[in-house]
């Protein structure tokens, strides 16, 4: 609401204020006040444990520039500004040391064993097999410090070693470098900081304390060996349990296409399924929605409402539910917000998949919000099983028009293997960028294995959306100099279509002689489409050149995707 935004419009000490970000904080403050008033009114305050913390550092680049408590970087970074957060705990009847700062390093996994001890859950086996440590003694003052331990924070969903990660040990922080130096000393690929002396993490002291770094590397290797199998195992969500019967299955938790932000909701092309455990057999009501129930939006209307020209509106005419071997399809009413199924389920493990269908029974997307509840008793008629199911994927909505640049044609790329005589410039299959130089935040320390593209070559590529943590990050990736020895330079490109901002440039004698942008398009499954670009560079043969990959945009489609750059005497078509 505007009332939260108005105080934060404009600038602060010459810096633009993040209006919506600060407005959300003001809204949060107000709601914490409402919680406090409720606890007082109901007489619950003295015997209620209130815990306040965040899940990561600031999300806003603008906010970071105004105030960041002296910390480096922001959300998704492995520097302190990315993961160090406040933790406030209050329990008046708990004999806590209220009003005191405790400097021990703790992690979110500590909260569960802490609450178990505070609530005296004696019936649970003890000691419990948790990674976390109870903080109860620290809070009451019975102990003054925790046992010595090393902790790890790792982001992203690739699961690859150090992609990216930080090891924390008392005042020490160890992480992989974004780029090394040339020539590189033995520890150049890592950075070590002592935040007691250097809270802003400006001075890499790995050469002065190599034994500390080696101990922390060894801990990471041991941690990764245990954590990776847990990361790879299927995630199961329980439905229909007595203690948590009505549940919502979200697209961010399914196995399938990425759909964890407003862009995914607007496009409405992502599909996936959930691994579920049916806790109790019985009759279940399952409601499929594109938008959350609180929004009041219909299935078909777009992000900005029911306007006919809203490109995010989707022509949903039916909902499809598949669970186990059973298949159900129901047509939807014109103004329906939900398509609802009533079915019988047996207890046990299964998969639950949803689709929204168009008039030709083609799959538009999955149901991003799926409401599941076991009913104790009902006289309602069960939904009959159906032979109708998705006949294929509907075309993706047009999300952006191509304009300017050279996106290499309208056809999606297919892999092209190098032929004898071709010269590889970069395939981005290594653990880092090698001799390429990365500036800014968009390109991180190396390519990604997380592939959200319809087609590419190899197992890795450059995708500044994934590496940089979204469209906000900016930066530049520059190749070492090379001699042009063939008639053409070919490469795959995708991502944003922002001229001079999300592009690949060829530079000769410090002049940009060729440029290309992505097409800002996705396929029917919501994956980014890549195209081949083939530059004719015959007249520059024998000259020194370099390639620049730019991501200078921070709005929609403010990212770039690049793969398989090589010289050849043949075009890609």
């Amino acid at each position: 609401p505007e009332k939260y935004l108005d105080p934060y419009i404009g600038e602060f000490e010459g810096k633009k204020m993040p209006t919506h970000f600060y407005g959300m904080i003001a809204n949060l403050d107000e709601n914490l006040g409402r919680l406090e008033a409720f606890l007082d009114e109901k007489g619950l305050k003295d015997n209620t444990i209130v815990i306040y913390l965040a899940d990561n550092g600031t999300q806003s680049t603008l906010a970071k520039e105004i105030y960041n408590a002296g910390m480096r970087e922001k959300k998704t970074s492995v520097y302190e500004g990315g993961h160090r957060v406040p933790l406030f705990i209050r329990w008046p009847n708990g004999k806590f040391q209220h009003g005191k700062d405790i400097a021990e390093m703790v992690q979110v996994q500590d909260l569960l064993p802490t609450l178990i001890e505070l609530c005296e859950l004696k019936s649970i086996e003890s000691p419990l097999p948790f990674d976390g440590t109870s903080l109860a003694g620290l809070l009451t003052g019975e102990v003054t410090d925790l046992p010595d331990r090393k902790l790890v924070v790792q982001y992203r969903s690739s699961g690859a070693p150090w992609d990216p990660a930080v090891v924390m040990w008392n005042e020490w922080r160890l992480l992989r470098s974004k780029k090394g130096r040339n020539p590189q000393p033995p520890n150049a690929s890592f950075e070590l900081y002592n935040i007691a002396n250097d809270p802003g993490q400006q001075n890499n002291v790995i050469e002065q304390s190599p034994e500390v770094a080696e101990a922390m590397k060894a801990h990471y290797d041991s941690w990764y060996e245990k954590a990776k199998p847990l990361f790879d195992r299927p995630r199961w969500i329980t439905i229909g349990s007595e203690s948590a019967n009505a549940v919502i299955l979200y697209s961010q938790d399914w196995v399938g296409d990425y759909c964890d932000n407003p862009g995914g909701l607007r496009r409405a092309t992502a599909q996936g399924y959930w691994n579920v455990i049916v806790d109790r057999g019985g009759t279940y009501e399952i409601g499929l929605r594109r938008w959350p129930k609180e929004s009041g939006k219909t299935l078909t209307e777009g992000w900005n409402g029911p306007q006919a020209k809203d490109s995010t509106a989707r022509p949903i005419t039916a909902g499809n539910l598949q669970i186990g071997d059973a298949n159900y399809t129901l047509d939807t009413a014109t103004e329906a917000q939900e398509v609802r199924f009533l079915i019988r389920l047996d207890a046990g493990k299964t998969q639950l998949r949803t689709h929204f269908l168009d008039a030709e029974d083609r799959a538009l997307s999955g149901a991003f919000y799926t409401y599941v509840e076991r009913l104790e008793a009902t006289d309602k008629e069960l939904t009959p099983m159906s032979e109708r199911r998705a006949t294929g994927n509907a075309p993706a909505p047009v999300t952006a028009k191509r304009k300017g640049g050279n996106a290499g044609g309208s056809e999606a790329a297919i892999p092209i293997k190098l032929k004898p005589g071709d010269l590889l410039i970069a395939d981005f299959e290594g653990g880092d960028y090698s001799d390429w130089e990365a500036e800014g935040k968009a390109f991180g320390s190396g390519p990604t294995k997380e592939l959200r593209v319809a087609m590419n070559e190899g197992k890795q590529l450059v995708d500044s959306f994934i590496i940089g943590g979204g469209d906000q990050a900016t930066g530049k990736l520059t190749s070492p100099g090379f001699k042009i020895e063939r008639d053409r330079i070919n490469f795959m490109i995708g991502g944003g279509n922002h001229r001079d901002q999300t592009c690949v440039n060829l530079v000769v004698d410090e002049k940009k002689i060729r440029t290309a942008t992505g097409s800002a398009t996705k396929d029917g499954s919501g994956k980014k489409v890549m195209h081949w670009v083939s530059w004719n560079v015959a007249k520059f043969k024998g000259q020194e050149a370099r390639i620049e990959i730019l991501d200078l945009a921070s709005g929609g489609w403010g990212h770039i995707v690049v793969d398989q750059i090589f010289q050849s005497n043949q075009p890609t078509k």
Side-chain angles (χ1 to χ4, degrees):
E2 298 296 326
K3 68 175 183 178
Y4 299 110
L5 308 181
D6 289 344
Y8 306 106
I9 295 173
E11 296 185 344
F12 177 78
E13 296 183 349
K15 297 177 180 178
K16 179 176 171 55
M17 285 197 289
T19 305
H20 286 79
F21 185 73
Y22 284 168
M24 285 190 287
I25 294 174
N27 174 266
L28 179 62
D29 286 346
E30 182 179 289
N31 280 289
L32 283 171
R34 293 177 59 206
L35 172 63
E36 183 79 349
F38 170 83
L39 294 176
D40 269 336
E41 178 187 345
K42 301 297 182 182
L44 298 172
K45 180 176 178 178
D46 288 346
N47 204 32
T48 294
I49 302 172
V50 175
I51 301 176
Y52 178 99
L53 75 161
D55 67 334
N56 49 248
T58 182
Q59 177 269 346
S60 170
T61 300
L62 295 176
K64 177 176 73 71
E65 296 303 318
I66 292 175
Y67 178 76
N68 206 37
M71 297 184 294
R72 183 173 173 179
E73 297 292 349
K74 60 170 191 171
K75 174 181 176 179
T76 74
S77 167
V78 289
Y79 293 103
E80 290 292 281
H83 60 83
R84 184 171 183 155
V85 299
L87 171 63
F88 298 95
I89 303 181
R90 184 187 71 188
W91 184 19
N93 283 359
K95 299 180 181 179
F96 286 0
Q97 304 177 84
H98 292 110
K100 179 179 180 180
D101 288 342
I102 299 175
E104 285 292 290
M105 180 178 66
V106 301
Q107 61 178 346
V108 70
Q109 291 94 324
D110 296 333
L111 292 181
L112 180 57
T114 299
L115 290 171
I116 286 175
E117 182 172 351
L118 294 176
C119 298
E120 300 180 353
L121 302 183
K122 302 293 187 182
S123 62
I124 297 180
E125 168 193 355
S126 184
L128 295 163
F130 294 137
D131 291 328
T133 298
S134 174
L135 310 178
L138 280 178
L139 296 171
T140 59
E142 294 176 13
V143 300
T144 57
D145 50 40
L146 295 176
D148 184 64
R149 60 178 178 170
K150 301 178 182 73
L151 304 178
V152 176
V153 168
Q154 180 154 347
Y155 286 117
R156 311 276 185 237
S157 56
S158 74
W162 293 98
D163 186 32
V166 57
V167 182
M168 300 169 288
W169 183 25
N170 298 323
E171 72 273 23
W172 299 104
R173 302 293 184 267
L174 179 74
L175 53 100
R176 284 288 294 270
S177 300
K178 291 186 176 181
K179 60 180 180 180
R181 290 169 288 170
N182 192 13
Q184 295 186 6
N187 284 315
S189 61
F190 285 89
E191 299 172 15
L192 180 69
Y193 297 97
N194 185 320
I195 62 168
N197 303 325
D198 177 26
Q201 296 179 287
Q202 299 300 311
N203 304 305
N204 181 6
V205 295
I206 195 165
E207 298 302 317
Q208 291 76 35
S209 301
E211 72 288 348
V212 173
E214 289 304 316
M216 296 175 79
K217 288 180 193 176
H219 174 78
Y220 178 85
D221 291 341
S222 175
W223 174 88
Y224 185 83
E225 184 178 0
K226 297 174 183 176
K228 185 58 163 62
L230 300 175
F231 173 87
D232 289 335
R233 71 182 183 183
R235 279 77 158 168
W236 296 91
I237 299 175
T238 300
I239 60 175
S241 71
E242 188 172 356
S243 57
N245 181 15
V247 298
I248 307 173
L249 305 179
Y250 299 96
S251 55
Q252 67 181 32
D253 296 320
W254 68 24
V255 181
D257 300 327
Y258 178 79
C259 189
D260 191 13
N261 58 27
L265 292 178
R266 285 194 292 263
R267 284 188 299 275
T269 57
Q271 300 178 41
Y273 67 87
W274 295 275
N275 291 310
V276 298
I277 299 173
V278 181
D279 185 71
R280 298 177 294 165
T283 302
Y284 281 76
E285 186 175 71
I286 301 178
L288 279 50
R289 290 177 176 263
R290 178 187 172 186
W291 305 106
K293 185 180 296 184
E294 295 81 2
S295 72
K297 285 180 173 288
T298 67
L299 291 169
T300 58
E301 71 178 279
W303 182 261
N304 297 311
Q307 295 93 332
K309 293 184 179 180
D310 189 339
S311 64
T312 64
R314 300 293 272 149
I316 296 170
T317 62
N320 173 254
L321 170 67
Q322 299 171 22
I323 185 161
D325 296 328
N327 181 80
Y328 308 87
T329 300
L330 290 175
D331 291 326
T332 62
T334 304
E335 296 300 317
Q337 299 180 18
E338 177 186 56
V339 54
R340 190 176 302 170
F341 299 86
L342 200 65
I343 63 174
R344 291 280 304 177
L345 293 178
D346 295 328
K349 292 183 175 181
T350 188
Q351 286 184 358
L352 190 155
R353 182 186 296 271
T354 62
H355 291 106
F356 287 129
L357 309 179
D358 67 8
E360 299 179 39
D361 278 355
R362 297 176 299 185
L364 294 160
S365 71
F368 307 128
Y369 300 87
T370 298
Y371 295 75
V372 182
E373 183 175 6
R374 182 184 183 274
L375 305 181
E376 295 301 331
T378 180
D379 296 330
K380 298 179 182 178
E381 185 177 348
L382 297 179
T383 304
M385 283 194 278
S386 172
E387 295 298 321
R388 280 176 68 193
R389 60 182 70 218
T391 58
N393 289 327
V398 177
T399 55
K401 293 181 179 179
R402 292 176 54 205
K403 48 188 176 183
N406 170 14
S410 60
E411 295 181 4
I414 59 173
I416 294 177
K417 299 295 183 183
L418 270 62
K419 299 179 178 61
D422 290 347
L423 301 176
L424 180 67
I425 297 174
D427 60 5
F428 303 110
E429 293 298 304
D432 54 28
Y433 291 124
S434 186
D435 294 333
W436 287 61
E437 181 177 357
E439 302 174 40
K441 306 175 182 65
F443 299 102
S445 59
T448 179
K449 294 182 179 179
E450 188 173 345
L451 306 179
R452 298 180 189 165
V453 295
M455 184 61 70
N456 75 297
E457 175 60 37
K459 297 181 179 179
Q460 297 186 159
L461 47 63
V462 173
D463 185 335
S464 64
F465 184 93
I466 296 173
I467 299 169
D471 282 330
Q472 292 294 320
T474 59
K476 179 167 77 169
L477 187 63
T478 305
S479 77
F482 65 92
K483 183 181 291 187
I484 298 177
E485 301 180 63
R486 299 292 186 269
D487 291 342
R488 291 185 174 271
I489 294 178
N490 303 324
F491 57 92
M492 287 182 180
I493 187 170
N497 185 242
H498 304 282
R499 184 189 291 272
D500 298 327
Q501 290 189 301
T502 54
C503 57
V504 177
N505 297 330
L506 180 66
V507 177
V508 174
D509 290 335
E510 301 306 317
K511 295 180 180 178
K512 181 177 67 176
I513 62 170
R514 297 286 186 272
T515 187
T517 66
S519 61
T521 56
K522 294 195 175 189
D523 67 5
S525 66
K527 294 184 177 179
K528 286 172 277 198
V529 174
M530 299 188 74
H531 304 279
W532 280 107
V533 168
S534 184
W535 284 330
N536 187 337
V537 293
K539 69 179 182 179
F540 301 102
K541 287 173 74 170
Q543 297 190 46
E544 288 290 318
R546 70 177 188 272
I547 288 174
E548 298 176 338
I549 303 176
L550 298 183
D551 177 359
L552 304 179
S554 57
W557 282 95
H559 63 277
I560 188 78
V561 188
V562 181
D563 198 10
Q564 194 74 350
I565 308 173
F566 65 98
Q567 298 190 55
S568 178
N569 286 324
Q570 302 296 323
T572 53
K573 292 186 179 180

